[in-house]
Amino acid sequence: MDTLRSGAALDRLPNPVREDLMDVDRLRVIWAQHRQDRPRDARGEARRELTRRRVRALGGGPALEGLVESASEDRRWGEPVTAAHVAELAERARALPEDGPTRSPGLTLDSEHALRLAGAASAPVHPVVRAAHTFAECSAVLDELASAASGDGPRQRADPDDRPWALPWVLASLVLRRADFPPLVPDRLTEPPSTGADPGERLAGLVRHFAKLVNRSLREELSWSSDSTAPAPRSPVSPLAAVTRRRVQDYVRSRREPVALILRALDPGARALVHSGGSDAPAPESPVAATAARAVLTPGAAHWWTALELVVGEASLSLCVVVQEVGRPRTGVLAVSADGRLTTPDGVRDALGMSGTDSVTVMPTDCVDDRWPQVRDLVDEAVSRAMNELTRV
C-alpha cells in the first residue's frame, strides 16, 4: 500500500517531511522482509527485551515496562483504537509510581477527551503522521487536565515538572503497532519539538522527529540476530559501504587541522590526531575501539570507524564516527553514527550527548551522494559538540 497517499492531510506537509516518510516506508519494507526469517515467538521475545531495555534506560521500572509492552503486543496489529481503550490506558498511566521518569495524568480522562484521542488515533494519514498527531493531541489534553487540577486556567502550564507524559508515548506506540510498525519509547537525549510559527509548522517538526524515532526502532529490530546466523568470515564489503567508509574517513581527516588551530590557541601543546579501524582489520583493544564498539547494533556485523582524538592539557576527547552494516543476514542497510568519550583526571564520561535518532540510515538503493549531506551534517555536529565540551573543561 502506498501510505503516502492514504490521506489528504499529508499533502499539506512540506517536501522534506514527505521525503522522511518515504525513507520510513522504504526501511519498513526491508524490515518486513527481514523478519520473515525469524520465528514469531523469537521476534516477540526480542521486542519485549528491547522495550524493557529502553524503559530501564529511562529509569523506569516494571509498571512502566508493563504499560509500554501492552501497547507493543502483536495482537494490536490492525486493532482499532477506541475511546474505551484510551480511557483504560489513561487509568493505567495514572497508577504509575509518582517517582518514575514519566508524568501521569492528575485527573481521569472524561468521555469527551477519550473520544478526541481515539479520533486522532484513527486519522486517515500516514501512520507516522497519525502517531505524531495523537501524541500532540494527548499532550494538549493532559496539559488541560493539569491546568484544571490546579485552577490556573487553560493557558497556564500549571505543573513545572519537565518529565515527559507517559500516556502520549503509549498511545503513539499503539498507533504505530496497529499499523504494523515497531513501538516507541521516549528518547532521553532528544526532546520532541514544540515550537513553530503555526500549527502546521509544529506538526511538521513533530512528524520529522517521529520519523527519526521510527527509523531508529526499525534499525534496532533489523539488528536482531542469533548464533545460527553468524556472519561468514571475511565477507566481501559492499561497494556502498566501501565508498561511504572512505568518504567519512576523508571528511574527518579534513576537520583535523582546522580543529587543531582552534585548540592551539587555547594550549600550544594541543594535538589533534585521526585513527581508523574496523572489523576487517581489528586492532588491539583501545579506548577508541571500545567507543566504536558501543555503537555497533548487530554483534559481529561488519563496521568501520574513524576517530578524531583531541588532546588539550590533561584532557582528551575521542570522537568516533562509525559506519556499520545493519542486520544478520545482511540487509544492505548501513547506519552512520557518532559517539565520543571525554577523559580527564576526574574520570571518563560521555561527551557528545548524541542518540540513535541522530544516526543516518543509508538504504541499499542509495548512492553515497544521496545521504552524504546528512552524514556530513552528522560529523559537523559531532565535532561542534566535541569542541564545546573540550573547551569547557
Side-chain angles (χ1 to χ4, degrees):
M1 180 180 70
D2 183 1
T3 51
L4 285 176
R5 299 182 182 275
S6 63
L10 187 58
D11 294 335
R12 296 197 291 271
L13 291 171
N15 283 336
V17 181
R18 293 174 58 83
E19 292 171 1
D20 287 345
L21 296 175
M22 290 176 65
D23 284 344
V24 168
D25 284 346
R26 291 167 63 196
L27 187 59
R28 182 183 173 278
V29 169
I30 297 171
W31 167 80
Q33 293 172 342
H34 184 70
R35 70 175 183 169
Q36 291 177 357
D37 297 329
R38 301 290 185 271
R40 183 169 182 173
D41 291 345
R43 293 201 315 262
E45 180 54 38
R47 172 171 288 146
R48 285 189 291 273
E49 177 54 34
L50 180 59
T51 299
R52 296 185 198 111
R53 192 161 66 241
R54 289 172 174 172
V55 172
R56 287 194 292 268
L58 283 173
L64 184 58
E65 288 178 12
L67 179 59
V68 174
E69 286 180 15
S70 70
S72 307
E73 299 170 351
D74 283 343
R75 66 184 179 87
R76 299 302 184 196
W77 181 11
E79 178 181 296
V81 179
T82 64
H85 195 184
V86 170
E88 175 193 344
L89 290 174
E91 284 304 301
R92 292 186 61 182
R94 288 187 68 210
L96 291 173
E98 294 184 0
D99 60 351
T102 58
R103 303 168 64 195
S104 302
L107 296 175
T108 301
L109 259 67
D110 59 27
S111 58
E112 182 179 347
H113 285 139
L115 281 170
R116 173 179 167 184
L117 297 181
S122 303
V125 291
H126 189 285
V128 175
V129 179
R130 188 160 59 245
H133 176 53
T134 303
F135 177 91
E137 285 290 294
C138 187
S139 297
V141 165
L142 296 182
D143 283 342
E144 291 172 10
L145 290 176
S147 297
S150 66
D152 286 344
R155 293 186 179 274
Q156 299 296 321
R157 180 68 177 253
D159 192 342
D161 193 342
D162 61 355
R163 294 176 300 165
W165 292 110
L167 186 59
W169 287 105
V170 171
L171 287 179
S173 283
L174 182 61
V175 166
L176 290 166
R177 282 303 298 131
R178 68 187 293 265
D180 198 25
F181 278 80
L184 295 181
V185 171
D187 186 331
R188 62 184 178 85
L189 295 177
T190 309
E191 291 294 325
S194 58
T195 59
D198 57 60
E201 184 177 336
R202 290 194 294 273
L203 178 61
L206 190 59
V207 170
R208 298 202 77 177
H209 178 74
F210 267 71
K212 290 181 179 180
L213 290 173
V214 172
N215 270 341
R216 176 184 179 179
S217 294
L218 289 167
R219 285 198 308 265
E220 288 179 339
E221 294 207 359
L222 277 173
S223 300
W224 294 345
S225 62
S226 65
D227 293 339
S228 63
T229 55
R234 301 184 181 275
S235 300
V237 179
S238 71
L240 181 59
V243 175
T244 302
R245 171 184 60 175
R246 184 168 61 250
R247 187 171 288 192
V248 166
Q249 289 176 344
D250 292 344
Y251 191 68
V252 172
R253 290 192 181 102
S254 75
R255 300 296 89 199
R256 184 186 69 82
E257 191 55 36
V259 166
L261 289 173
I262 297 173
L263 294 180
R264 290 185 194 122
L266 302 174
D267 175 8
R271 304 190 308 276
L273 307 170
V274 175
H275 309 284
S276 60
S279 57
D280 54 354
E285 186 63 26
S286 67
V288 175
T291 299
R294 298 195 311 171
V296 178
L297 294 171
T298 307
H303 64 279
W304 308 271
W305 53 265
T306 304
L308 179 62
E309 187 173 2
L310 310 175
V311 181
V312 179
E314 294 184 297
S316 66
L317 190 152
S318 294
L319 184 163
C320 198
V321 183
V322 182
V323 179
Q324 61 181 290
E325 293 183 347
V326 178
R328 186 188 299 165
R330 284 182 170 183
T331 62
V333 176
L334 303 176
V336 185
S337 56
D339 197 358
R341 307 196 81 180
L342 177 66
T343 303
T344 68
D346 296 328
V348 181
R349 59 182 174 85
D350 293 344
L352 303 185
M354 302 185 81
S355 75
T357 59
D358 297 306
S359 300
V360 178
T361 304
V362 182
M363 306 288 185
T365 53
D366 289 334
C367 71
V368 71
D369 288 336
D370 293 333
R371 300 294 166 177
W372 179 245
Q374 298 174 43
V375 174
R376 182 188 59 221
D377 289 348
L378 171 70
V379 176
D380 286 343
E381 178 64 20
V383 170
S384 175
R385 294 191 187 196
M387 292 293 289
N388 181 60
E389 192 70 27
L390 193 56
T391 53
R392 290 165 51 192
V393 174

